[in-house]
Amino acid sequence: PETGSLSIIVLGASGDLAKKKTFPALFNLYRQGFLPADEICIFGYARTKISDDELRNRLHGFLVKEKDASPEQLQDVSKFLHLIKYVSGSYDSENDFHLLDKKISEHESSTNSAEGSSRRLFYLALPPSIYPSVCKMIKTCCMNKSDLGGWTRVVVEKPFGKDLESAEQLSTQIGELFEEPQIYRIDHYLGKELVQNMLVLRFANRLFLPLWNRDNIANVQIVSKEDFGTEGRGGYFDQYGIIRDIIQNHLLQIFCLVAMEKPVSLNPEHIRDEKVKVLQSVLPLKDDDVVLGQYEGYRDDSTVPDHSNTPTFATVILRVHNERWEGVPFILKAGKALNSRKADIRVQFKDVPGDIFKCKKQGRNEFVIRLQPSEAMYMKLTVKQPGLEMSTVQSELDLSYRQRYQGVTIPEAYERLILDTIKGDQQHFVRRDELKASWEIFTPLLHSIDKGEFKSIPYQPGTRGPAEADELLLEKAGYVQTHG
Ligand code: BG6
């Protein structure tokens, strides 16, 4: 591993994302020894004028719950917080970024031995509208200048644009300043344990290889359900809606991993090449393959316009035009304020031909990968009902992570992805052409929603969403529901 100074600069340090995700992930990495105290300095940067200690105090409660913490944990928190320095400045001032650069350089010269390199990681926990200006400041004032090597990398969060055109514009602006290997576009779903497991499952198990195609698979569902609304985020959400918030990025990334061909190797470029190909094989969306919904009460939020048509629920069927998948509907579904919180991938197999047991009514074989909560994989099979009778029943082959891997802590998505950034591994980050291909799929639909041509159907909070969504699946995807 590389050694030498490592400066992590969290821009937008007092914002929600930084407090809830970035700093806690850094803290966990620190506790596990991935951020050695003699190399690291973490800089929080934001406009608010506060001291180092004030930032540390603000972060404390996000790192540990005081009343449940052991003395060791509290000690770790305090050691970690002392690695954090705060720099206040605006996002478009060269003077302020020169000051930031000076502080980083001071840290580097106090840390580096003769052969150590200087590594600078800029984490933009900021609204995308200011990415171009911030990237320009970094490029002008804060690049690693060490003769001893090292790097400068920037991490950016979604939303990367609002449609194909704005995303391409953003990519071009950032692309003029940084090379692709310096840009880490985070999609935190790619850091989830069972999403990372997808390629292993598919390509390291002989069992699945011959089955993973249109001959055997009836449909695939990729679902994210949340049992809470847009609480406190109405202003942001109303500008984007559920498709831009979850489907075009998180669910589409999972779709890629389920549907792509086998990569030439595990080289991140080979993997991303295959993801781009399968995205390019998706046919234009048809209006009658889409159901949109909006939960009742969504517009009560004072930051949401009274007549908003923004969907908080969507079911979209993707159709892939290639040899493996033609005719297999990929159902992407996401919703806020539904009856439960869970995310899973459900691969539903076709009915058994010549069914002598007449077991069809009990349901099809299904392979379910539950991403959260309680990571698990299970396979729904038809078995003989134990007992004297010869009757059949649907049962499960169940691999629940909590039981099978007792005592193993599953890392948080952000933790893993930040560590990848430090290592320079881009496998779980979105490449520019992938981003473009994903916007190509959804942009026409998004434009017609924005123009009010596509209406969101109202649904009651705490339900499965609009009934029309289930009807769509039955009618268009032959989807037989076998769960709640
Ligand atoms: C974010 C969305 O990207 O993902 C949120 O902006 C959503 O609206 C969240 O709630 C879901 O992430 P997770 O990891 O809790 O499933």
Side-chain angles (χ1 to χ4, degrees):
E2 287 173 297
T3 56
S5 69
L6 173 60
S7 306
I8 300 183
I9 304 97
V10 181
L11 298 130
S14 47
D16 244 29
L17 175 71
K19 286 190 295 203
K20 290 187 183 153
K21 299 288 183 189
T22 322
F23 283 109
L26 290 171
F27 175 55
N28 282 338
L29 289 174
Y30 165 76
R31 289 189 71 193
Q32 294 166 74
F34 290 112
L35 304 178
D38 55 349
E39 296 182 352
I40 178 106
C41 186
I42 300 171
F43 295 89
Y45 186 98
R47 277 182 304 221
T48 333
K49 293 206 179 345
I50 51 169
S51 65
D52 291 351
D53 278 339
E54 277 169 287
L55 177 66
R56 292 169 187 157
N57 289 341
R58 286 183 188 192
L59 294 177
H60 196 282
F62 289 92
L63 304 181
V64 72
K65 295 277 159 277
E66 191 100 30
K67 63 175 180 26
D68 313 327
S70 65
E72 292 78 41
Q73 277 172 322
L74 289 172
Q75 217 177 17
D76 281 347
V77 172
S78 145
K79 283 194 216 150
F80 172 74
L81 287 173
H82 279 90
L83 299 172
I84 302 179
K85 295 200 167 83
Y86 183 71
V87 182
S88 133
S90 72
Y91 294 113
D92 54 2
S93 153
E94 285 197 20
N95 279 345
D96 293 346
F97 275 82
H98 278 306
L99 177 69
L100 174 64
D101 179 60
K102 191 162 154 266
K103 300 219 168 174
I104 302 171
S105 303
E106 280 166 14
H107 163 64
E108 288 170 345
S109 42
S110 71
T111 321
N112 279 350
S113 56
E115 65 281 4
S117 59
S118 296
R119 295 166 290 162
R120 296 185 174 195
L121 172 57
F122 290 87
Y123 194 110
L124 275 58
L126 292 168
S129 53
I130 50 178
Y131 288 172
S133 128
V134 171
C135 286
K136 184 143 182 283
M137 291 299 122
I138 297 171
K139 178 77 184 196
T140 317
C141 313
C142 296
M143 300 296 282
N144 164 38
K145 296 169 275 291
S146 166
D147 301 334
L148 301 169
W151 41 255
T152 305
R153 295 180 184 144
V154 292
V155 179
V156 287
E157 279 277 346
K158 67 147 237 269
F160 310 115
K162 285 195 80 176
D163 59 6
L164 178 60
E165 198 190 337
S166 52
E168 274 294 282
Q169 196 186 357
L170 188 60
S171 292
T172 305
Q173 285 168 326
I174 300 180
E176 280 165 1
L177 300 165
F178 296 105
E179 304 287 332
E180 192 61 27
Q182 296 179 296
I183 307 169
Y184 287 71
R185 296 180 196 85
I186 274 203
D187 182 313
H188 78 280
Y189 268 58
L190 291 177
K192 293 190 188 272
E193 182 67 37
L194 285 196
V195 176
Q196 297 211 335
N197 188 40
M198 199 63 221
L199 295 190
V200 182
L201 260 185
R202 284 193 55 199
F203 300 118
N205 290 294
R206 180 63 194 242
L207 183 67
F208 292 120
L209 293 177
L211 296 184
W212 215 258
N213 55 42
R214 63 195 296 269
D215 298 335
N216 302 289
I217 292 178
N219 59 64
V220 178
Q221 267 210 67
I222 303 169
V223 178
S224 151
K225 290 172 76 167
E226 290 177 313
D227 56 4
F228 47 88
T230 56
E231 285 110 46
R233 300 170 75 219
Y236 149 80
F237 192 87
D238 202 68
Q239 298 290 311
Y240 288 88
I242 199 78
I243 295 180
R244 293 181 177 100
D245 191 49
I246 292 191
I247 298 185
Q248 175 266 345
N249 33 69
H250 304 329
L251 300 195
L252 198 62
Q253 282 296 325
I254 298 175
F255 157 79
C256 289
L257 297 169
V258 175
M260 67 189 241
E261 295 299 311
K262 185 168 170 169
V264 176
S265 77
L266 291 180
N267 176 314
E269 300 315 322
H270 289 156
I271 292 174
R272 297 187 299 175
D273 288 346
E274 295 306 329
K275 288 165 84 179
V276 173
K277 273 194 231 161
V278 76
L279 288 172
Q280 290 172 337
S281 306
V282 174
L283 291 171
L285 299 181
K286 288 190 287 175
D287 285 0
D288 58 359
D289 274 346
V290 178
V291 169
L292 305 178
Q294 187 188 78
Y295 68 86
E296 286 170 11
Y298 167 70
R299 298 182 214 164
D300 295 347
D301 183 328
S302 60
T303 53
V304 172
D306 290 347
H307 300 290
S308 167
N309 179 44
T310 301
T312 59
F313 172 99
T315 293
V316 178
I317 304 179
L318 302 187
R319 304 191 181 263
V320 186
H321 185 61
N322 69 15
E323 210 171 306
R324 185 183 293 275
W325 294 120
E326 188 171 312
V328 181
F330 282 81
I331 301 150
L332 271 46
K333 177 160 114 181
K336 301 266 177 201
L338 297 179
N339 56 347
S340 61
R341 174 175 183 262
K342 66 176 179 183
D344 57 26
I345 306 167
R346 235 161 243 276
V347 180
Q348 193 168 80
F349 290 87
K350 291 189 168 172
D351 293 325
V352 172
D355 171 20
I356 54 171
F357 294 103
K358 307 208 176 356
C359 52
K360 197 169 160 180
K361 61 178 183 316
Q362 284 162 359
R364 294 165 158 173
N365 287 148
E366 255 181 34
F367 179 42
V368 183
I369 298 157
R370 189 164 65 226
L371 310 180
Q372 63 192 37
S374 312
E375 292 84 351
M377 281 183 254
Y378 54 95
M379 185 96 81
K380 295 197 174 190
L381 300 178
T382 300
V383 298
K384 179 184 165 301
Q385 170 85 57
L388 290 174
E389 298 279 314
M390 173 45 89
S391 60
T392 58
V393 68
Q394 198 174 55
S395 194
E396 286 109 35
L397 272 180
D398 190 357
L399 171 59
S400 290
Y401 273 42
R402 212 176 275 166
Q403 265 173 20
R404 181 68 178 79
Y405 299 111
Q406 271 172 28
V408 177
T409 311
I410 296 182
E412 266 289 305
Y414 276 94
E415 218 172 295
R416 224 190 278 261
L417 295 173
I418 293 175
L419 189 60
D420 282 349
T421 314
I422 297 170
K423 290 183 187 155
D425 181 349
Q426 290 194 306
Q427 173 177 337
H428 305 294
F429 293 82
V430 182
R431 203 168 66 184
R432 179 175 174 171
D433 51 351
E434 232 181 295
L435 181 65
K436 177 166 184 264
S438 67
W439 279 117
E440 272 164 357
I441 297 173
F442 286 101
T443 294
L445 171 65
L446 289 166
H447 282 172
S448 71
I449 299 171
D450 293 345
K451 280 190 240 150
E453 291 164 8
F454 216 115
K455 292 282 176 250
S456 298
I457 303 168
Y459 62 94
Q460 282 284 323
T463 62
R464 288 176 49 80
E468 286 81 346
D470 284 337
E471 288 158 18
L472 173 83
L473 299 196
L474 193 58
E475 182 203 344
K476 296 299 222 40
Y479 178 71
V480 182
Q481 198 196 315
T482 55
H483 64 290

